[in-house]
Amino acid sequence: AVGHHGDNLVEKILTVLQPLPGHVTDVQVDMLELTSLQRTPHSQTTLAPGCLAQTQSPAAQSLWEAMLTNKHKEGVMEVRRQLVETASKEKLPIKMSMGRVTPEQLCSYMQLFRSSWGALESHCGVLQLGLATAQTLRHPSLPRWDACLAFERLLLQV
């Protein structure tokens, strides 16, 4: 379980991703990875944002709880596990890899769903949480956030 401020994945997501317009407790999840569209140098805005609030899917709600209550690393591993399990259920050609979870690995799993509209629609909640995780892991300010948390822990030990 999480024992310190900033230890969970959700706090990091809420800190680094842009707020959803008109909301204070949700963020914009860029859904471009789930389309066949390509990002251009001029496309700085999110085309059609997804979000963290997933009330329709029990699997997404379960994943959300894990992301909120587990430490960052365990939350990220749970995202990967859920994506692999979901892709396997849909009989998508997933190649499971062990070791450190990377944003590229998560995105490659989610891109498998582009070829199946039914699977994409059925699992959009889990996919949006997966995209939020990948976008947070590759965000340029995440290393600074982690360094600040480590420094805060050191100060609290003194």
Side-chain angles (χ1 to χ4, degrees), residues 76-123:
V76 170
M77 288 172 43
E78 182 61 19
V79 170
R80 176 175 63 182
R81 191 192 69 72
Q82 283 268 7
L83 289 171
V84 168
E85 185 177 297
T86 302
S88 296
K89 280 182 192 170
E90 293 293 334
K91 298 182 178 27
L92 296 172
I94 188 132
K95 292 184 178 101
M96 178 61 184
S97 57
M98 300 307 288
R100 190 168 166 265
V101 181
T102 66
E104 295 75 26
Q105 180 188 67
L106 296 177
C107 288
S108 73
Y109 294 164
M110 289 178 281
Q111 288 168 356
L112 295 171
F113 289 83
R114 286 195 288 208
S115 61
S116 172
W117 176 250
L120 191 62
E121 189 174 19
S122 296
H123 305 289

Side-chain angles (χ1 to χ4, degrees), residues 130-156:
L131 283 170
T133 300
Q135 290 162 24
T136 298
L137 291 176
R138 73 163 72 110
H139 197 278
S141 67
L142 189 64
R144 185 174 49 220
W145 166 260
D146 288 336
C148 287
L149 285 176
F151 186 62
E152 183 181 14
R153 282 189 199 99
L154 282 173
L155 287 174
L156 290 172

Side-chain angles (χ1 to χ4, degrees), residues 1-18 24-27 52 63-73 75-76 129 132-133 136-137 139 141-142 145-146 149 152-153:
V2 176
H4 189 272
H5 154 75
D7 275 349
N8 70 49
L9 181 55
V10 170
E11 276 191 75
K12 290 181 180 179
I13 290 170
L14 291 173
T15 300
V16 301
L17 297 184
Q18 291 293 317
V24 278
T25 58
D26 210 342
V27 295
L52 299 176
L63 179 56
W64 172 254
E65 287 176 22
M67 292 165 67
L68 187 61
T69 58
N70 292 334
K71 289 186 183 251
H72 171 88
K73 184 178 178 182
V76 170
L129 294 174
T133 300
T136 298
L137 291 176
H139 197 278
S141 67
L142 189 64
W145 166 260
D146 288 336
L149 285 176
E152 183 181 14
R153 282 189 199 99

